[in-house]
Amino acid sequence: MNSRLFAVAPRVREALDHGRPVVALESTIIAHGMPYPANVETALAVESIVREHGAEPATLGVLDGQIIAGMSPAEITCIGSTPGVVKACERDLPWAVATRANAAVTAGASVAIAAACGIRVFVTGGIGGVGLEAANDFDISADLPALALHPVLTVCAGAKAFMDIAATLQFLETWRVPVATLGAPDYPLFYTRQSGVPSPWNAQSEDEVARVFAARLALGQQGGLLCAVPVPAAHELPAAVTAEATTRAWRESRSAGLAGKDLTPFLLARVAELTGGESLAANIALIRNNARAGAAIAGALVLYTRPS
Ligand code: PSU
Ligand code: MN
């Protein structure tokens, strides 16, 4: 690995070299998904939860054109408090590197970076998906093909609630990405536990998810696995609240003519306003819960992928 391009923090390098579990974390949720200071507080809390559950956290981002795997608290604070940080998806990484930019990385870019660093598990809040009008505007998040290409297991609470969930699952089926929901029959709806769309596969435990991904790797199949974990019941938004807020925010985004990578940050912020902050509380609760699940999966995965 080119150390001018990639800086893997020594604590992360050591964990990887000793076969200890590592969990990658993204930074677009910090820079563009939540307001300051809740974003930085949440990012640091998520790292602590990963540690408490036996894994080493590696928050990913780009600083001065160098791809960092394992940002320090000061670096996380910088990404989370500096206005104008770029949102980099996978195709933006060469640009961020060549122009020495500071950039937050999306879920898809994180999966690509994790794969390059040898990290097997990635945790986020919600992934991108197939947009509601994709049949006309082709808005399909670059997160989805990234899941199909890179050998990394992603833990999330569903695709964001303003996506077409059935179409997102169909896209992942076509791109032969295994999709599991942990402990529930429905694929979750990010802020809300049930989307009304059945999950392709249900897993009973983190251990089972790790075993299935280990089998995928052992079979020599290319690409990752998507594990959805429903938001904890105590923090979920009622389905009607999610539906009303996301529908209204979506209509406003149409009137404002928003498209491309600006759309998701707008919708997340607008839904938070429309729900009086309830969606932000749900977002924080679900990523904390995902961190716990991801660390457990990473712990099991190192056992199932240990060379014999
Ligand atoms: N989920 C959140 N907050 C976020 C995102 C997801 O709770 O900020 C980010 C992730 O980084 C994801 C990106 O990769 O939104 C998807 O953006 P788009 O829909 O433009 O592909
Ligand atoms: Mn999009």
Side-chain angles (χ1 to χ4, degrees):
M1 175 172 290
N2 184 330
S3 60
R4 196 176 53 79
L5 296 178
F6 288 93
V8 180
R11 59 184 173 78
V12 175
R13 178 80 275 148
E14 199 184 298
L16 288 170
D17 288 348
H18 290 85
R20 292 203 305 269
V22 176
V23 169
L25 300 160
E26 61 145 313
S27 44
T28 293
I29 187 170
I30 305 173
H32 304 280
M34 290 183 187
Y36 179 81
N39 59 350
V40 171
E41 287 162 14
T42 303
L44 297 176
V46 162
E47 288 208 328
S48 299
I49 292 166
V50 168
R51 276 197 193 94
E52 280 157 24
H53 290 84
E56 187 62 40
T59 300
L60 312 177
V62 184
L63 290 175
D64 195 23
Q66 195 176 39
I67 297 172
I68 315 278
M71 291 203 286
S72 67
E75 289 168 339
I76 288 171
T77 305
C78 170
I79 284 272
S81 61
T82 313
V85 168
V86 173
K87 171 183 169 185
C89 58
E90 193 176 350
R91 71 167 183 172
D92 301 319
L93 290 176
W95 174 85
V97 165
T99 63
R100 301 203 153 204
N102 291 341
V105 292
T106 64
S110 297
V111 161
I113 294 167
C117 297
I119 301 172
R120 290 292 196 196
V121 175
F122 163 67
V123 166
T124 184
I127 57 159
V130 175
L132 289 168
E133 292 170 15
N136 295 318
D137 65 13
F138 285 85
D139 181 8
I140 298 173
S141 174
D143 290 351
L144 302 184
L147 297 175
L149 281 168
H150 304 291
V152 174
L153 188 157
T154 293
V155 179
C156 70
K160 277 155 293 142
F162 35 79
M163 294 291 164
D164 183 332
I165 303 305
T168 300
L169 292 177
Q170 180 56 58
F171 188 94
L172 292 169
E173 179 179 328
T174 302
W175 284 94
R176 84 279 177 273
V177 178
V179 178
T181 300
L182 192 55
D186 252 26
Y187 189 78
L189 189 61
F190 195 48
Y191 306 123
T192 296
R193 290 176 64 82
Q194 292 183 325
S195 67
V197 182
S199 179
W201 176 59
N202 302 111
Q204 300 309 315
S205 66
E206 286 84 354
D207 185 82
E208 183 183 335
V209 175
R211 254 187 297 135
V212 172
F213 188 51
R216 178 154 162 85
L217 296 172
L219 287 166
Q221 293 190 349
Q222 191 197 24
L225 182 152
L226 183 63
C227 174
V229 185
V231 56
H235 298 279
E236 76 168 332
L237 294 190
V241 172
T242 295
E244 198 190 313
T246 52
T247 304
R248 190 161 153 202
W250 177 263
R251 274 202 218 106
E252 290 176 6
S253 77
R254 297 289 97 177
S255 316
L258 282 162
K261 65 162 93 172
D262 297 334
L263 184 57
T264 290
F266 169 85
L267 291 170
L268 287 166
R270 194 63 191 118
V271 168
E273 282 169 11
L274 291 169
T275 59
E278 292 292 319
S279 72
L280 179 60
N283 201 341
I284 292 169
L286 65 84
I287 188 155
R288 293 173 63 106
N289 188 50
N290 292 350
R292 181 201 50 72
I297 292 169
L301 190 64
V302 295
L303 302 178
Y304 293 123
T305 53
R306 193 161 274 173
S308 48

